[in-house]
Coordinates of all heavy atoms in Angstrom, one line a residue:
M1 N 147.5 175.4 137.8 CA 147.6 174.0 138.1 C 146.8 173.8 139.4 O 147.0 174.4 140.4 CB 149.1 173.6 138.2 CG 149.2 172.2 138.6 SD 151.0 171.7 138.6 CE 151.1 170.8 140.0
H2 N 146.0 172.8 139.4 CA 145.2 172.5 140.6 C 145.9 171.4 141.3 O 146.3 170.4 140.8 CB 143.8 172.0 140.1 CG 142.9 171.5 141.3 ND1 142.3 172.4 142.0 CD2 142.7 170.3 141.8 CE1 141.6 171.8 143.0 NE2 141.9 170.5 142.8
T3 N 146.1 171.6 142.6 CA 146.7 170.6 143.5 C 145.7 170.4 144.7 O 144.9 171.2 145.0 CB 148.0 171.1 144.0 OG1 147.9 172.3 144.8 CG2 149.0 171.4 142.9
A4 N 145.9 169.2 145.3 CA 145.0 168.9 146.4 C 145.3 169.6 147.7 O 144.5 169.5 148.6 CB 145.0 167.4 146.6
I5 N 146.4 170.3 147.8 CA 146.7 171.0 149.0 C 146.9 172.5 148.8 O 147.1 173.2 149.7 CB 147.9 170.4 149.7 CG1 148.0 170.8 151.2 CG2 149.2 170.6 148.9 CD1 146.9 170.3 152.0
G6 N 146.9 172.9 147.5 CA 147.1 174.4 147.2 C 146.0 175.3 147.6 O 145.0 174.8 148.1
P7 N 146.2 176.6 147.4 CA 145.2 177.5 147.7 C 143.8 177.4 147.0 O 142.8 177.8 147.5 CB 145.8 178.9 147.4 CG 146.9 178.6 146.5 CD 147.3 177.2 146.7
D8 N 143.9 176.7 145.9 CA 142.6 176.5 145.1 C 141.9 175.2 145.5 O 140.9 174.9 145.0 CB 142.9 176.5 143.6 CG 143.9 175.4 143.2 OD1 144.7 175.0 144.0 OD2 143.9 175.1 142.0
A9 N 142.5 174.5 146.4 CA 141.9 173.2 146.9 C 140.6 173.4 147.7 O 140.5 174.4 148.5 CB 142.9 172.4 147.7
T10 N 139.7 172.6 147.6 CA 138.5 172.6 148.4 C 138.7 172.0 149.7 O 139.6 171.2 149.9 CB 137.3 171.9 147.7 OG1 137.6 170.5 147.6 CG2 137.0 172.4 146.3
P11 N 138.0 172.4 150.8 CA 138.2 171.8 152.1 C 138.1 170.3 152.1 O 139.0 169.7 152.8 CB 137.0 172.5 152.9 CG 136.8 173.8 152.3 CD 137.0 173.5 150.8
P12 N 137.2 169.6 151.4 CA 137.3 168.2 151.4 C 138.6 167.6 150.8 O 139.1 166.6 151.4 CB 136.1 167.7 150.5 CG 135.2 168.9 150.5 CD 136.1 170.1 150.6
E13 N 139.2 168.3 149.8 CA 140.4 167.8 149.2 C 141.5 168.0 150.3 O 142.4 167.1 150.5 CB 140.8 168.6 148.0 CG 139.9 168.2 146.8 CD 140.2 169.1 145.6 OE1 140.6 170.3 145.8 OE2 140.0 168.6 144.5
R14 N 141.6 169.1 150.9 CA 142.6 169.4 151.9 C 142.5 168.3 153.1 O 143.5 167.9 153.6 CB 142.4 170.8 152.5 CG 142.9 171.8 151.6 CD 142.8 173.2 152.2 NE 143.0 174.2 151.2 CZ 142.7 175.5 151.3 NH1 142.2 175.9 152.4 NH2 143.0 176.3 150.3
A15 N 141.3 168.0 153.4 CA 141.0 167.1 154.5 C 141.6 165.7 154.2 O 142.2 165.0 155.0 CB 139.6 167.0 154.9
V16 N 141.4 165.3 152.9 CA 141.9 164.0 152.5 C 143.5 164.0 152.6 O 144.1 163.1 153.1 CB 141.5 163.7 151.0 CG1 142.2 162.5 150.5 CG2 140.0 163.4 151.0
V17 N 144.1 165.1 152.1 CA 145.5 165.2 152.1 C 146.1 165.1 153.6 O 147.0 164.4 153.9 CB 146.1 166.4 151.4 CG1 147.6 166.6 151.6 CG2 145.8 166.3 149.9
L18 N 145.4 165.9 154.5 CA 145.8 165.9 155.9 C 145.7 164.5 156.5 O 146.5 164.1 157.3 CB 145.1 166.9 156.6 CG 145.4 168.4 156.2 CD1 144.5 169.4 156.9 CD2 146.9 168.7 156.5
E19 N 144.6 163.8 156.1 CA 144.4 162.4 156.6 C 145.5 161.5 156.1 O 146.0 160.7 156.9 CB 143.0 161.9 156.2 CG 141.9 162.5 156.9 CD 140.5 162.0 156.4 OE1 140.5 160.9 155.8 OE2 139.5 162.7 156.6
L20 N 145.8 161.6 154.9 CA 146.9 160.8 154.3 C 148.2 161.1 154.9 O 149.0 160.2 155.2 CB 147.0 161.0 152.8 CG 145.8 160.5 152.0 CD1 145.8 160.9 150.5 CD2 145.7 159.0 152.0
L21 N 148.5 162.4 155.2 CA 149.7 162.7 155.9 C 149.8 162.1 157.2 O 150.8 161.6 157.7 CB 149.8 164.3 156.0 CG 150.4 165.0 154.9 CD1 150.2 166.5 155.1 CD2 151.9 164.7 154.8
A22 N 148.7 162.1 157.9 CA 148.6 161.5 159.3 C 148.9 160.0 159.3 O 149.4 159.5 160.3 CB 147.3 161.8 159.9
E23 N 148.6 159.4 158.2 CA 148.8 157.9 158.1 C 150.3 157.5 157.7 O 150.6 156.4 157.9 CB 147.9 157.4 157.0 CG 146.4 157.4 157.4 CD 145.5 157.0 156.3 OE1 146.0 156.5 155.2 OE2 144.3 157.2 156.4
L24 N 151.1 158.5 157.3 CA 152.5 158.2 157.0 C 153.2 157.8 158.2 O 152.9 158.4 159.3 CB 153.1 159.4 156.3 CG 152.7 159.8 154.9 CD1 153.4 161.1 154.5 CD2 152.9 158.7 153.9
P25 N 154.2 157.0 158.1 CA 155.1 156.8 159.2 C 155.7 158.1 159.7 O 155.9 159.0 158.9 CB 156.2 155.9 158.7 CG 155.6 155.2 157.5 CD 154.6 156.2 156.9
S26 N 155.9 158.3 161.0 CA 156.3 159.6 161.6 C 157.5 160.2 160.9 O 157.6 161.4 160.7 CB 156.5 159.4 163.1 OG 157.6 158.6 163.3
E27 N 158.6 159.4 160.5 CA 159.7 160.0 159.9 C 159.5 160.5 158.5 O 160.0 161.5 158.1 CB 160.9 158.9 159.9 CG 161.4 158.6 161.3 CD 162.4 157.5 161.3 OE1 162.3 156.6 160.4 OE2 163.2 157.5 162.3
Q28 N 158.6 159.8 157.8 CA 158.2 160.3 156.4 C 157.3 161.5 156.6 O 157.5 162.5 155.8 CB 157.5 159.2 155.7 CG 158.4 158.0 155.3 CD 157.6 156.9 154.6 OE1 156.5 157.1 154.2 NE2 158.3 155.8 154.5
R29 N 156.4 161.5 157.5 CA 155.5 162.6 157.7 C 156.3 163.9 158.0 O 156.1 164.9 157.5 CB 154.5 162.3 158.8 CG 153.5 163.4 159.0 CD 152.4 163.0 160.1 NE 153.0 162.5 161.3 CZ 152.9 161.3 161.8 NH1 152.3 160.4 161.1 NH2 153.4 161.0 162.9
E30 N 157.3 163.7 159.0 CA 158.1 164.9 159.4 C 158.9 165.4 158.2 O 158.9 166.6 158.0 CB 159.0 164.4 160.5 CG 160.0 165.5 160.9 CD 160.9 165.1 162.0 OE1 161.8 164.3 161.7 OE2 160.6 165.4 163.2
A31 N 159.5 164.5 157.4 CA 160.3 165.0 156.3 C 159.5 165.7 155.2 O 159.9 166.7 154.7 CB 161.1 163.8 155.7
V32 N 158.3 165.1 154.9 CA 157.4 165.7 153.9 C 156.9 167.1 154.4 O 156.9 168.1 153.7 CB 156.3 164.8 153.5 CG1 155.2 165.5 152.7 CG2 156.8 163.6 152.8
F33 N 156.5 167.1 155.7 CA 156.0 168.4 156.2 C 157.1 169.5 156.2 O 156.8 170.6 155.8 CB 155.5 168.1 157.7 CG 155.0 169.4 158.3 CD1 153.7 169.8 158.1 CD2 155.8 170.2 159.0 CE1 153.2 170.9 158.6 CE2 155.3 171.4 159.6 CZ 154.0 171.7 159.4
L34 N 158.3 169.1 156.6 CA 159.4 170.1 156.7 C 159.7 170.6 155.3 O 160.0 171.8 155.1 CB 160.6 169.6 157.4 CG 160.4 169.3 158.9 CD1 161.6 168.6 159.4 CD2 160.2 170.6 159.6
A35 N 159.7 169.7 154.3 CA 160.1 170.1 152.9 C 159.0 170.9 152.3 O 159.3 171.9 151.6 CB 160.4 168.9 152.1
Y36 N 157.7 170.5 152.4 CA 156.7 171.2 151.7 C 155.9 172.2 152.4 O 155.3 173.1 151.8 CB 155.7 170.1 151.1 CG 156.4 169.4 150.0 CD1 157.2 168.2 150.2 CD2 156.5 169.9 148.7 CE1 157.9 167.6 149.2 CE2 157.1 169.2 147.7 CZ 157.8 168.1 148.0 OH 158.6 167.5 147.0
F37 N 155.9 172.2 153.7 CA 155.1 173.1 154.5 C 156.0 174.1 155.2 O 155.6 175.2 155.5 CB 154.1 172.4 155.4 CG 153.1 171.6 154.7 CD1 153.2 170.2 154.6 CD2 152.0 172.2 154.0 CE1 152.3 169.5 153.9 CE2 151.1 171.5 153.3 CZ 151.2 170.1 153.2
A38 N 157.2 173.7 155.6 CA 158.1 174.6 156.3 C 159.1 175.2 155.3 O 159.9 176.0 155.7 CB 158.8 173.9 157.4
G39 N 159.1 174.6 154.1 CA 160.0 175.2 153.1 C 161.5 174.9 153.3 O 162.4 175.6 152.7
M40 N 161.8 173.8 154.0 CA 163.2 173.5 154.3 C 163.7 172.7 153.1 O 163.0 171.9 152.5 CB 163.3 172.7 155.6 CG 163.0 173.5 156.8 SD 163.1 172.5 158.3 CE 164.8 172.2 158.5
T41 N 165.0 172.8 152.8 CA 165.7 172.0 151.8 C 166.0 170.6 152.4 O 166.0 170.5 153.6 CB 167.0 172.6 151.3 OG1 167.9 172.6 152.4 CG2 166.8 174.1 150.8
H42 N 166.3 169.7 151.5 CA 166.7 168.4 152.0 C 167.9 168.4 152.9 O 167.9 167.8 153.9 CB 166.9 167.4 150.8 CG 165.7 167.2 150.0 ND1 165.7 166.5 148.8 CD2 164.4 167.5 150.1 CE1 164.5 166.4 148.3 NE2 163.7 167.0 149.1
A43 N 168.9 169.3 152.5 CA 170.1 169.4 153.3 C 169.7 170.0 154.7 O 170.3 169.6 155.7 CB 171.1 170.3 152.5
E44 N 168.9 171.0 154.7 CA 168.5 171.6 156.0 C 167.8 170.6 156.9 O 168.0 170.5 158.1 CB 167.6 172.8 155.7 CG 168.3 174.0 155.1 CD 167.3 175.1 154.7 OE1 166.1 174.8 154.4 OE2 167.8 176.2 154.7
I45 N 166.9 169.8 156.3 CA 166.2 168.7 157.1 C 167.2 167.7 157.6 O 167.2 167.3 158.8 CB 165.1 168.0 156.2 CG1 164.1 169.0 155.8 CG2 164.5 166.9 157.0 CD1 163.1 168.5 154.7
S46 N 168.2 167.4 156.8 CA 169.2 166.4 157.2 C 170.0 167.0 158.4 O 170.2 166.3 159.4 CB 170.2 166.2 156.0 OG 171.3 165.4 156.4
A47 N 170.4 168.2 158.3 CA 171.2 168.9 159.4 C 170.4 169.0 160.6 O 170.8 168.7 161.7 CB 171.7 170.2 158.9
W48 N 169.1 169.4 160.5 CA 168.2 169.6 161.6 C 167.9 168.2 162.3 O 167.9 168.2 163.6 CB 166.9 170.2 161.1 CG 165.9 170.4 162.2 CD1 165.8 171.4 163.1 CD2 164.8 169.5 162.5 NE1 164.8 171.3 163.9 CE2 164.1 170.1 163.6 CE3 164.3 168.3 162.0 CZ2 163.0 169.5 164.2 CZ3 163.2 167.8 162.5 CH2 162.6 168.3 163.6
S49 N 167.7 167.2 161.5 CA 167.3 165.9 162.1 C 168.5 165.0 162.5 O 168.4 164.1 163.3 CB 166.4 165.1 161.2 OG 167.2 164.7 160.0
G50 N 169.7 165.3 162.0 CA 170.9 164.5 162.2 C 170.8 163.2 161.4 O 171.7 162.3 161.6
S51 N 170.0 163.1 160.4 CA 169.9 162.0 159.5 C 170.7 162.2 158.3 O 170.7 163.4 157.8 CB 168.4 161.6 159.2 OG 167.7 161.3 160.3
P52 N 171.2 161.2 157.6 CA 172.0 161.4 156.4 C 171.1 161.9 155.3 O 169.8 161.7 155.3 CB 172.4 160.0 156.0 CG 172.4 159.2 157.3 CD 171.3 159.8 158.1
L53 N 171.6 162.7 154.4 CA 170.9 163.3 153.3 C 170.1 162.3 152.5 O 169.0 162.5 152.1 CB 171.8 164.2 152.4 CG 171.2 164.9 151.3 CD1 170.1 165.9 151.8 CD2 172.3 165.7 150.5
G54 N 170.8 161.2 152.1 CA 170.1 160.2 151.4 C 168.9 159.6 152.1 O 167.9 159.3 151.4
T55 N 169.0 159.5 153.4 CA 167.8 159.0 154.1 C 166.7 160.0 154.0 O 165.5 159.5 153.9 CB 168.3 158.8 155.6 OG1 169.3 157.8 155.6 CG2 167.1 158.3 156.5
I56 N 167.0 161.2 154.2 CA 165.9 162.3 154.1 C 165.3 162.2 152.7 O 164.0 162.3 152.6 CB 166.5 163.7 154.4 CG1 167.0 163.8 155.8 CG2 165.5 164.8 154.1 CD1 166.0 163.4 156.9
K57 N 166.1 162.1 151.6 CA 165.6 162.1 150.3 C 164.7 160.8 150.1 O 163.6 160.9 149.5 CB 166.7 162.1 149.3 CG 167.4 163.4 149.2 CD 168.5 163.4 148.1 CE 169.2 164.7 148.0 NZ 170.2 164.7 146.9
S58 N 165.1 159.7 150.7 CA 164.2 158.5 150.6 C 162.9 158.7 151.3 O 161.9 158.2 150.8 CB 165.0 157.3 151.1 OG 166.1 157.0 150.3
R59 N 163.0 159.2 152.5 CA 161.8 159.4 153.3 C 160.8 160.3 152.5 O 159.6 160.0 152.5 CB 162.1 160.0 154.6 CG 162.8 159.1 155.6 CD 163.2 159.8 156.9 NE 163.9 158.9 157.7 CZ 164.6 159.3 158.8 NH1 164.7 160.5 159.1 NH2 165.3 158.4 159.5
I60 N 161.3 161.4 152.0 CA 160.4 162.3 151.2 C 159.8 161.6 150.0 O 158.6 161.7 149.7 CB 161.1 163.6 150.8 CG1 161.5 164.4 152.1 CG2 160.3 164.4 149.8 CD1 162.4 165.6 151.9
R61 N 160.7 160.9 149.3 CA 160.2 160.2 148.1 C 159.2 159.1 148.4 O 158.1 159.1 147.8 CB 161.4 159.5 147.3 CG 161.0 158.8 146.0 CD 162.2 158.1 145.4 NE 163.0 157.3 146.2 CZ 162.7 156.1 146.6 NH1 161.6 155.5 146.2 NH2 163.5 155.4 147.4
L62 N 159.4 158.3 149.4 CA 158.4 157.3 149.8 C 157.1 157.9 150.4 O 156.1 157.5 150.1 CB 159.1 156.4 150.9 CG 160.2 155.5 150.4 CD1 160.9 154.8 151.6 CD2 159.6 154.5 149.4
G63 N 157.3 159.0 151.1 CA 156.1 159.7 151.7 C 155.3 160.3 150.6 O 154.0 160.1 150.6
L64 N 155.9 160.9 149.6 CA 155.1 161.5 148.4 C 154.5 160.4 147.6 O 153.4 160.6 147.1 CB 156.0 162.4 147.6 CG 156.5 163.7 148.2 CD1 157.5 164.4 147.3 CD2 155.3 164.5 148.6
Q65 N 155.2 159.3 147.5 CA 154.6 158.1 146.7 C 153.4 157.6 147.4 O 152.3 157.4 146.7 CB 155.6 157.0 146.6 CG 155.2 155.8 145.8 CD 156.3 154.8 145.7 OE1 157.3 154.9 146.2 NE2 156.0 153.8 144.9
K66 N 153.4 157.5 148.7 CA 152.2 157.0 149.5 C 151.1 158.0 149.4 O 149.9 157.7 149.3 CB 152.6 156.8 150.9 CG 153.5 155.5 151.1 CD 153.9 155.3 152.5 CE 154.8 154.2 152.6 NZ 155.3 154.0 154.0
L67 N 151.4 159.3 149.4 CA 150.4 160.4 149.3 C 149.7 160.3 147.9 O 148.5 160.3 147.8 CB 151.0 161.8 149.5 CG 151.4 162.1 150.9 CD1 152.1 163.5 151.0 CD2 150.2 162.1 151.9
R68 N 150.6 160.1 146.9 CA 150.0 160.1 145.5 C 149.1 158.8 145.4 O 148.0 159.0 144.8 CB 151.2 160.0 144.5 CG 150.7 160.0 143.1 CD 151.9 160.0 142.1 NE 152.5 161.3 142.2 CZ 153.8 161.5 142.6 NH1 154.5 160.4 142.9 NH2 154.3 162.6 142.6
E69 N 149.5 157.7 145.9 CA 148.7 156.5 145.8 C 147.4 156.7 146.6 O 146.3 156.3 146.1 CB 149.5 155.3 146.4 CG 150.6 154.9 145.5 CD 151.6 153.9 146.2 OE1 151.3 153.5 147.4 OE2 152.5 153.5 145.6
G70 N 147.4 157.3 147.7 CA 146.2 157.6 148.5 C 145.3 158.6 147.7 O 144.1 158.4 147.7
L71 N 145.9 159.6 147.1 CA 145.1 160.5 146.3 C 144.5 159.8 145.1 O 143.3 160.1 144.7 CB 145.9 161.7 145.9 CG 146.3 162.7 147.0 CD1 147.3 163.7 146.5 CD2 145.1 163.3 147.6
E72 N 145.2 159.0 144.5 CA 144.7 158.2 143.3 C 143.5 157.4 143.7 O 142.5 157.3 143.0 CB 145.8 157.4 142.6 CG 146.8 158.2 141.9 CD 148.0 157.5 141.4 OE1 148.1 156.3 141.7 OE2 148.7 158.1 140.6
E73 N 143.6 156.7 144.9 CA 142.5 156.0 145.4 C 141.3 156.8 145.7 O 140.1 156.4 145.5 CB 142.9 155.3 146.7 CG 143.8 154.1 146.5 CD 144.3 153.5 147.8 OE1 143.7 153.8 148.9 OE2 145.3 152.7 147.8
Q74 N 141.5 158.1 146.1 CA 140.4 159.0 146.3 C 140.0 159.8 145.1 O 139.1 160.6 145.1 CB 140.8 160.0 147.4 CG 141.1 159.4 148.8 CD 139.9 158.9 149.4 OE1 138.8 159.5 149.3 NE2 140.0 157.8 150.2
E75 N 140.7 159.5 144.0 CA 140.5 160.2 142.7 C 140.7 161.7 142.8 O 140.0 162.5 142.2 CB 139.2 159.9 142.1 CG 139.0 158.4 141.8 CD 137.6 158.1 141.3 OE1 136.9 159.0 140.9 OE2 137.3 156.9 141.2
L76 N 141.7 162.1 143.6 CA 142.0 163.5 143.7 C 143.4 163.9 143.2 O 143.8 165.1 143.2 CB 142.0 163.9 145.2 CG 140.7 163.9 145.9 CD1 140.9 164.2 147.4 CD2 139.7 164.8 145.3
A77 N 144.1 162.9 142.7 CA 145.5 163.2 142.2 C 145.4 164.1 140.9 O 144.5 163.9 140.1 CB 146.2 161.9 141.9
P78 N 146.3 165.1 140.8 CA 146.3 165.9 139.6 C 146.7 165.0 138.4 O 147.5 164.1 138.5 CB 147.3 167.0 139.8 CG 148.0 166.6 141.1 CD 147.3 165.5 141.8
S79 N 146.1 165.3 137.3 CA 146.3 164.4 136.1 C 147.4 165.1 135.2 O 147.8 166.1 135.3 CB 145.1 164.2 135.3 OG 144.4 165.3 135.1

């Protein structure tokens, strides 16, 4: 499976994803980063940040939705 941030991604694809991550609101960016790049579970992020679990799940969901929309605009989203 080809993903825009995986090991098979080209440098331009990675750059787009990193740019999109930088555009997310800070709380969404932090939650997405911790979940997908630091490998933390939602519960671990909740405990670490002191935010309710539901809030963390919402931040991740909204952040991923914005990333997907940005990738679709760039035509890099996996089909």
Side-chain angles (χ1 to χ4, degrees):
M1 177 172 138
H2 177 81
T3 63
I5 197 66
D8 59 340
T10 64
E13 289 174 330
R14 288 183 189 164
V16 168
V17 171
L18 293 174
E19 287 175 22
L20 292 170
L21 272 170
E23 293 174 6
L24 292 177
S26 62
E27 292 174 332
Q28 290 175 14
R29 180 176 55 247
E30 177 181 75
V32 169
F33 181 85
L34 292 173
Y36 289 91
F37 297 101
M40 293 175 73
T41 66
H42 295 173
E44 290 171 334
I45 297 168
S46 173
W48 178 82
S49 68
S51 298
L53 181 59
T55 299
I56 296 303
K57 290 181 177 185
S58 293
R59 288 175 183 167
I60 292 171
R61 181 180 50 78
L62 291 170
L64 291 176
Q65 181 179 5
K66 289 176 184 177
L67 289 174
R68 183 175 293 114
E69 289 169 0
L71 290 172
E72 287 172 353
E73 288 176 13
Q74 297 290 325
E75 298 181 12
L76 293 176
S79 47

